[in-house]
Amino acid sequence: MWNPDAIMENLYNTYADKRLQKQEHETAASYKLRLKEKLTGSLTLREGQDDLHPVLLERTELSDHIRERIEIGTYMGFRVPAYVLIPRGLKEKRAAVLALHGHGFGSRQIVGLNADGTEHSGEPDIHDNYALELVRRGFIVIAPEIIGFGDRRLAEDQKDGKVGNSSCQTLASHLLLYGISLAALRVQEARRALDYVLFRDDVDSSSIGCFGFSGGGLIAAYTAAIDERVKATVLCAFTNTFKGSIMPIRHCIDNYLPGVLTYAELPELIGLIAPRPLFIASGKQDPIFPVETVEVAVAYLRKLYIQSGVEDRLHVHLYDGVHEVDGSRAYPWLVEALVQL
């Protein structure tokens, strides 16, 4: 009798109705501008931005690429380590991709390394070593260590050689006490990684892409939505509705952006990427981003891209698989999308 289920359902529907009523009195352009301003506001950090002060930590020459590890400054004194993968034999500027990993043991998981930094051999895991796949297709790739994972976990979470766990819950809850969301910090750090990429003289600043998987997909989506330096985006195992994914299914706290449903559902936020090229990839058997509501989001996005007159810039790959990367179509698409710019 006292359970809150019906009231929570009504709350969702009430805010959906409010959003629709407000949108009915706006042009498409004014609606998009308002949405972008709202999302930008939700992701803004009041704390001052630090100088990049990039430092080269290590450099390893491999058979088909060079792997650097650097660190840069972002906000509040945070220093972020990142791998930079560079194709061998560069003779001209190249397109670059910001690669944002999902939950796991951090940036090493997508650049061809094990958690301890040794070279990975054998079959890739659910991340598919996608930063490695991208550099082999000619991109310069930057893979920052997202706060809360790998080397950027809290000290307590790194005790006793723990691998693959995260500090998301503690970081998110503590940051909220200061009015900061973990999503906002991660997006702004991703944007500082973009600043670094554009600082490099081997990067074509007009050809910047972004590839995010799972929680990295959230960062990629929000970064691309508010930062038009990103010219083409791949979202893998993330695109959905809030109603169909992070609300009915238990997810990490890093997926929740305070107040977001007062102004948008997730497909509308992803829609801010339009009319720039966008690739949606998702497993049909993904248990935490169900395909049924992937298709709801895709239907919204397809209509938006058609209305914008750029239907050919939206591509979708729903593959047989669970919560995992399948880049078989996404990798060549990103090559074509950035080469055409």
Side-chain angles (χ1 to χ4, degrees), residues 133-169:
E133 292 291 337
L134 292 168
V135 72
R136 287 172 174 166
R137 285 163 173 79
F139 294 114
I140 293 172
V141 184
I142 183 167
E145 189 92 317
I146 296 169
I147 189 166
F149 301 105
D151 293 336
R152 300 190 70 204
R153 290 170 294 164
L154 295 167
E156 179 66 26
D157 295 320
Q158 298 188 50
K159 281 184 177 178
D160 305 318
K162 294 175 183 173
V163 173
N165 61 327
S166 79
S167 298
C168 297
Q169 178 69 39

Side-chain angles (χ1 to χ4, degrees), residues 221-236:
Y222 292 172
T223 299
I226 67 172
D227 196 327
E228 296 196 4
R229 294 178 297 177
V230 178
K231 303 303 184 185
T233 305
V234 176
L235 303 179
C236 187

Side-chain angles (χ1 to χ4, degrees), residues 253-275:
I253 194 172
D254 61 6
N255 286 279
Y256 301 85
L257 186 62
V260 68
L261 278 174
T262 64
Y263 58 86
E265 243 286 6
L266 182 55
E268 298 166 304
L269 299 179
I270 297 173
L272 290 172
I273 296 172

Side-chain angles (χ1 to χ4, degrees), residues 22 52 83 95 103-104 116 149 158 205 217 262-263 267 303 306 316:
K22 191 172 185 67
L52 281 174
Y83 285 103
H103 284 67
D116 62 2
F149 301 105
Q158 298 188 50
S205 62
T262 64
Y263 58 86
K303 180 179 179 182
I306 290 171
V316 179

Side-chain angles (χ1 to χ4, degrees), residues 21-294:
Q21 290 168 13
K22 191 172 185 67
Q23 186 180 352
E24 286 174 348
H25 300 287
E26 297 175 300
T27 64
S30 62
Y31 168 69
K32 182 175 182 178
L33 179 61
R34 176 175 63 84
L35 216 57
K36 185 174 181 179
E37 288 175 347
K38 285 284 191 180
L39 181 60
T40 301
S42 294
L43 297 171
T44 296
L45 297 178
R46 296 188 302 272
E47 289 67 21
Q49 178 178 281
D50 300 333
D51 291 335
L52 281 174
H53 287 310
V55 176
L56 177 63
L57 303 175
E58 61 184 61
R59 178 182 171 90
T60 305
E61 298 205 9
L62 301 159
S63 61
D64 56 2
H65 69 283
I66 297 165
R67 184 179 64 233
E68 297 179 345
R69 203 178 199 204
I70 57 119
E71 68 167 27
I72 57 172
T74 58
Y75 290 84
M76 298 180 282
F78 286 122
R79 298 287 292 174
V80 178
Y83 285 103
V84 181
L85 308 184
I86 308 158
R88 289 188 70 96
L90 278 187
K91 292 184 174 62
E92 57 187 12
K93 292 187 176 185
R94 292 291 182 92
V97 178
L98 172 62
L100 299 161
H101 62 80
H103 284 67
F105 57 81
S107 54
R108 292 185 179 97
Q109 200 161 1
I110 63 174
V111 301
L113 296 173
N114 297 312
D116 62 2
T118 57
E119 301 292 332
H120 176 79
S121 60
E123 292 297 312
D125 63 17
I126 63 171
H127 281 77
D128 196 40
N129 276 330
Y130 59 86
L132 196 58
E133 292 291 337
L134 292 168
V135 72
R136 287 172 174 166
R137 285 163 173 79
F139 294 114
I140 293 172
V141 184
I142 183 167
E145 189 92 317
I146 296 169
I147 189 166
F149 301 105
D151 293 336
R152 300 190 70 204
R153 290 170 294 164
L154 295 167
E156 179 66 26
D157 295 320
Q158 298 188 50
K159 281 184 177 178
D160 305 318
K162 294 175 183 173
V163 173
N165 61 327
S166 79
S167 298
C168 297
Q169 178 69 39
T170 303
L171 285 170
S173 54
H174 289 198
L175 287 168
L176 283 174
L177 296 174
Y178 305 103
I180 302 168
S181 74
L182 188 55
L185 177 57
R186 287 176 173 174
V187 167
Q188 296 303 335
E189 288 199 326
R191 298 183 74 195
R192 291 300 276 154
L194 289 176
D195 292 340
Y196 168 76
V197 164
L198 295 172
F199 168 82
R200 294 181 63 103
D201 59 13
D202 52 2
V203 168
D204 179 354
S205 62
S206 66
S207 297
I208 305 297
C210 194
F211 191 121
F213 165 61
S214 190
L218 179 150
I219 304 167
Y222 292 172
T223 299
I226 67 172
D227 196 327
E228 296 196 4
R229 294 178 297 177
V230 178
K231 303 303 184 185
T233 305
V234 176
L235 303 179
C236 187
F238 171 70
T239 302
N240 215 282
T241 65
F242 294 131
K243 179 69 170 171
S245 59
I246 68 170
M247 296 180 78
I249 301 165
R250 186 178 296 276
H251 275 255
C252 179
I253 194 172
D254 61 6
N255 286 279
Y256 301 85
L257 186 62
V260 68
L261 278 174
T262 64
Y263 58 86
E265 243 286 6
L266 182 55
E268 298 166 304
L269 299 179
I270 297 173
L272 290 172
I273 296 172
R276 288 166 288 155
L278 173 62
F279 193 102
I280 304 297
S282 201
K284 294 178 184 177
Q285 292 81 38
D286 191 329
I288 58 175
F289 290 97
V291 68
E292 293 80 10
T293 35
V294 174

